[in-house]
Amino acid sequence: MTYFHTAQSSMPVLVVGAGPVGLTLAAELTRHCVPCRIIDKAAPRPIVESRAVGVHTRTLETFERLGVLQTALEQGRIARGASFYGDGQQLVHLRLDELDVPYPFSLLLEQGKTERLLVEHLASQGLTVERPVELIALTQEGDRVHATLRHEDGRIEEVTTAYLVGCDGAHSIVRHLIGVSFPGHPHVGQYALADVDVEWDRIWPDDQIHTFLRPEGLLILGRLPSGVWRIVVTLPDDQARIEDKQAILALIKHQLTYHPDAGIRELHTPLWISTFHISSRVVEHMRYGRVFLAGDAAHIHSPESGQGMNAGMQDATNLAWKLALHVRGLGGEALLDSYHAERHPIVVEIVRTTELVERLLELKQPLAAKVRNATLSLAWHVDAIERQMRNAFAANTYNYRHSPLVGEHTQSLFEWWYAIANTEPYPSAGDRFDFSHGPTAGDRAPDARNIVTQDGQLHRLFEIWGNEARHHLLVFAGLKEQPQRLEELRQIVAFMQSRYGTLIQCHLVLSQQGNNEQFSLWDSTGELSRRYGAQFECLYLVRPDGYVGFRSQPAQLQPLEAFLVGLLGKSVELTLN
Ligand SMILES: Cc1cc2nc3c(=O)[nH]c(=O)nc-3n(C[C@H](O)[C@H](O)[C@H](O)COP(=O)(O)OP(=O)(O)OC[C@H]3O[C@@H](n4cnc5c(N)ncnc54)[C@H](O)[C@@H]3O)c2cc1C
């Protein structure tokens, strides 16, 4: 056995696994200028292995921040809706194009292509995925993690790193090496899938995902960017595991006989065929000292909700900026703990909801299936329920409101009385109501259009933020700008920029055209203020992962600074002065 000691023993982060989650994490860390290594024991996944094909809206927002959105859109196919059919009729149609987000659709993109575009992006940033390099051992000691890697030629490399993130999939060796169990249910269901050319007896819109519900099993259809159709069927409970491709295809064809209304006459030239069992499991913690688990290494569930890969990529987005602050010596244990505190309840909820949806969609008792169909059909006609279903389908319902890491400040009764007594501006009941309809601390920060920047051009908010890895501070002057108060708000922005500029990008949002002053944005149509409930002055601190970390009405410096001290730890004074 050859021993080789790395020259890069002080690498801050080692990412184990270059699936979609590890690649997203490495890309996010790179965006935050955190040096890292990413290793994978296997060759790149063949493009033809489509696997997770639905890229949802928040992942697309992550892609925009990383600068890979355009490539993804060019390579993918847009699904503008999702329909569910039963008893020979359409039960539900979810209009994804009515989602109130910048990318109101699901992007169908083969997982192999998603991975390839992230690998290429990393290469453009000077980071190469090291493969085949396998993690075979790890130990933690004080503030270090020692990892043992095996290279293709048998060399063994000992690496010391500050943080190690296991993105190494459902059979995670990282999870195994740190002795963590993976509680849940084994083999909840078995699926067969094929990416094939289809001979149709009828025409289906190919910008939709179609799901057919029958007591004998489920059928899901969607057209992939390559032009072939992705067909997924559930298999009978007593179906033995088979590997032979022809046998799987025959099985799929047999299952299709239960779905004559799908109008599939014949299947041809399969690009990829597979069966798979998916268990339903979640780890109890996602952080163990300086080792973190993300993606399938931490949670797995049935693909029926189409959220496995997306949820894992959101883990990565959540973790990266926290590691980045820690690497800079900012933020205490609470910051790292918040990864588990924020992500774990969400993945537990995803797994629980997926199990429920799976049970509901796969009802085998004909009478129960009829009742379900009738209920779904009725519920769909209720606007609020349809909106909720649409957002849930697109994984657009999750937030971090429960997080110990977010906060907000509104005027207390005493402060309100004091403001009145001193003829200072104070929010009316209407202003408070308006603010209560803006995003709460922990919510995803919404995008807005028609914002004029210093160059005099119109931009979307997310474009202005671009791939900037800092927090963003939006100080809204409100609709009734008063010269004296405006001057004070300018001073808040200037102070924050000078003191925290390396961590926070600051903007003063004006409702009237200003004179192109530094840091100002002109909300030319009022959309930005409307979306943030900012008819009265207020401020929002948006985190690098696109969620509101803190907000206050009125816009006050003191509560904001108190929040930042909590977030960044005591060291902030030393680091930034
Ligand atoms: C057949 C199939 C169909 C699927 N369909 C869907 C779908 O329609 N929708 C959906 O959302 N999800 C689907 N999934 C699930 C989806 O593919 C996963 O959720 C997603 O791949 C998880 O990404 P990940 O990066 O966490 O893990 P993985 O993609 O599993 O990546 C883990 C990586 O870690 C590497 N690795 C493992 N051990 C080591 C080690 N010791 N050292 C170094 N590297 C290591 C592996 O080689 C691998 O590249 C499907 C999965 C399968 C198998």
Side-chain angles (χ1 to χ4, degrees):
M1 191 175 280
T2 315
Y3 280 87
F4 170 79
H5 289 273
T6 177
Q8 298 171 309
S9 58
S10 61
M11 182 59 64
V13 186
L14 176 63
V15 180
V16 181
V21 176
L23 290 167
T24 304
L25 180 64
E28 281 281 13
L29 289 170
T30 306
R31 180 168 82 96
H32 288 274
C33 301
V34 176
C36 66
R37 287 177 69 179
I38 173 166
I39 59 163
D40 199 292
K41 68 177 182 183
R45 217 184 304 273
I47 296 294
V48 72
E49 281 197 23
S50 55
R51 291 189 183 223
V53 293
V55 182
H56 293 317
T57 170
R58 294 205 187 166
T59 307
L60 294 173
E61 290 178 8
T62 298
F63 281 2
E64 180 168 25
R65 285 191 292 270
L66 291 176
V68 298
L69 178 66
Q70 212 41 48
T71 317
L73 292 177
E74 282 160 16
Q75 296 186 5
R77 180 184 281 270
I78 286 173
R80 298 182 195 283
S83 290
F84 294 78
Y85 310 86
D87 296 330
Q89 56 170 326
Q90 187 182 53
L91 305 172
V92 171
H93 175 65
L94 303 177
R95 298 207 51 174
L96 301 180
D97 52 2
E98 288 186 1
L99 286 165
D100 186 17
V101 293
Y103 323 109
F105 46 80
S106 266
L107 186 72
L108 299 187
L109 184 64
E110 295 89 343
Q111 188 172 325
K113 284 189 190 162
T114 300
E115 292 175 11
R116 185 181 61 187
L117 74 87
L118 288 169
V119 167
E120 286 172 358
H121 170 71
L122 284 179
S124 75
Q125 304 298 304
L127 185 65
T128 306
V129 178
E130 300 174 45
R131 48 173 122 218
V133 179
E134 182 179 9
L135 175 85
I136 53 172
L138 78 84
T139 52
Q140 296 196 62
E141 188 189 344
D143 59 358
R144 302 276 99 183
V145 182
H146 303 288
T148 308
L149 312 182
R150 180 166 47 214
H151 288 255
E152 190 177 19
D153 57 6
R155 274 179 307 137
I156 299 293
E157 179 186 4
E158 304 290 348
V159 179
T160 301
T161 176
Y163 310 95
L164 184 147
V165 189
C167 306
D168 50 342
H171 304 288
S172 170
I173 183 81
V174 173
R175 198 180 61 229
H176 179 72
L177 289 171
I178 56 176
V180 170
S181 63
F182 204 17
H185 320 288
H187 305 320
V188 173
Q190 193 185 175
Y191 302 81
L193 68 80
D195 296 343
V196 281
D197 274 329
V198 179
E199 234 177 82
W200 296 101
D201 279 331
R202 59 176 298 178
I203 293 174
W204 293 104
D206 64 1
D207 62 349
Q208 313 276 326
I209 297 162
H210 307 274
T211 303
F212 299 83
L213 312 178
R214 292 273 310 172
E216 296 84 358
L218 195 72
L219 163 67
I220 306 173
L221 302 173
R223 193 158 196 198
L224 298 181
S226 59
V228 301
W229 286 78
R230 152 71 68 93
I231 294 186
V232 183
V233 293
T234 49
L235 299 178
D237 291 344
D238 56 358
Q239 175 62 51
R241 192 94 203 255
I242 47 171
E243 301 287 339
D244 178 71
K245 305 284 178 228
Q246 287 309 319
I248 299 173
L249 192 60
L251 206 54
I252 292 174
K253 286 181 179 173
H254 174 74
Q255 286 303 110
L256 288 178
T257 59
Y258 297 117
H259 299 279
D261 44 338
I264 295 178
R265 194 183 317 140
E266 192 49 272
L267 306 180
H268 297 289
T269 49
L271 284 185
W272 187 51
I273 291 194
S274 181
T275 56
F276 57 102
H277 286 279
I278 298 272
S279 304
S280 196
R281 298 177 183 281
V282 187
V283 288
E284 272 159 14
H285 288 277
M286 294 173 77
R287 176 190 176 199
Y288 292 85
R290 288 180 166 252
V291 176
F292 300 82
L293 296 169
D296 276 19
H299 45 85
I300 50 169
H301 56 78
S302 131
E304 267 166 48
S305 63
Q307 295 196 28
M309 180 184 74
N310 290 277
M313 288 162 118
Q314 293 306 306
D315 293 345
T317 307
N318 183 285
L319 180 58
W321 68 272
K322 296 171 181 175
L323 288 179
L325 283 180
H326 234 251
V327 165
R328 295 175 72 173
L330 296 169
E333 287 298 301
L335 179 66
L336 295 185
D337 279 343
S338 73
Y339 169 61
H340 169 82
E342 293 188 343
R343 292 302 302 163
H344 195 259
I346 288 181
V347 297
V348 167
E349 174 69 12
I350 290 175
V351 171
R352 199 183 58 87
T353 316
T354 303
E355 283 175 2
L356 275 176
V357 168
E358 193 180 8
R359 249 178 264 149
L360 185 72
L361 297 187
E362 293 182 26
L363 285 174
K364 293 187 170 52
Q365 224 285 328
L367 183 62
K370 278 213 173 302
V371 173
R372 173 207 54 208
N373 292 353
T375 314
L376 276 178
S377 184
L378 276 176
W380 168 45
H381 288 96
V382 180
D383 272 357
I385 298 180
E386 194 271 337
R387 202 168 38 247
Q388 178 64 19
M389 288 163 94
R390 185 198 313 152
N391 277 299
F393 185 92
N396 192 37
T397 52
Y398 302 107
N399 62 62
Y400 301 134
R401 287 182 189 180
H402 58 272
S403 168
L405 202 66
V406 303
E408 58 180 72
H409 176 84
T410 48
Q411 242 176 359
S412 66
L413 205 56
F414 174 74
E415 288 169 319
W416 179 68
W417 174 84
Y418 183 86
I420 294 175
N422 288 281
T423 58
E424 288 175 6
Y426 62 90
S428 66
D431 296 333
R432 285 165 184 254
F433 181 74
D434 182 51
F435 188 62
S436 74
H437 283 78
T440 300
D443 282 354
R444 165 191 164 273
D447 195 13
R449 291 159 299 177
N450 299 316
I451 301 166
V452 182
T453 49
Q454 268 178 284
D455 60 8
Q457 304 290 317
L458 287 173
H459 296 280
R460 287 167 46 230
L461 182 65
F462 286 5
E463 273 170 14
I464 294 167
W465 287 345
N467 64 357
E468 178 57 66
R470 289 177 288 176
H471 279 68
H472 307 283
L473 178 67
L474 295 174
V475 177
F476 289 88
L479 301 186
K480 294 169 240 157
E481 291 171 5
Q482 296 171 5
Q484 190 197 333
R485 185 59 189 153
L486 199 53
E487 193 44 45
E488 289 165 6
L489 296 179
R490 269 191 199 105
Q491 284 168 15
I492 292 180
V493 171
F495 171 82
M496 289 299 296
Q497 187 65 38
S498 71
R499 175 150 196 180
Y500 297 94
T502 54
L503 297 175
I504 304 175
Q505 185 187 39
C506 305
H507 289 293
L508 177 64
V509 181
L510 302 171
S511 57
Q512 280 146 40
Q513 190 166 14
N515 9 320
N516 283 350
E517 57 194 287
Q518 211 187 357
F519 310 131
S520 74
L521 302 175
W522 173 34
D523 181 16
S524 70
T525 58
E527 181 182 338
L528 180 59
S529 303
R530 250 193 329 276
R531 286 187 174 272
Y532 282 78
Q535 66 181 30
F536 185 79
E537 62 158 79
C538 58
L539 64 78
Y540 281 82
L541 183 69
V542 178
R543 316 185 323 183
D545 61 357
Y547 287 80
V548 175
F550 178 81
R551 67 172 194 159
S552 85
Q553 183 196 55
Q556 288 174 342
L557 191 56
Q558 204 191 7
L560 173 62
E561 282 220 282
F563 172 79
L564 284 170
V565 168
L567 175 73
L568 303 171
K570 294 198 181 89
S571 54
V572 67
E573 297 283 337
L574 295 172
T575 314
L576 298 170
N577 273 339

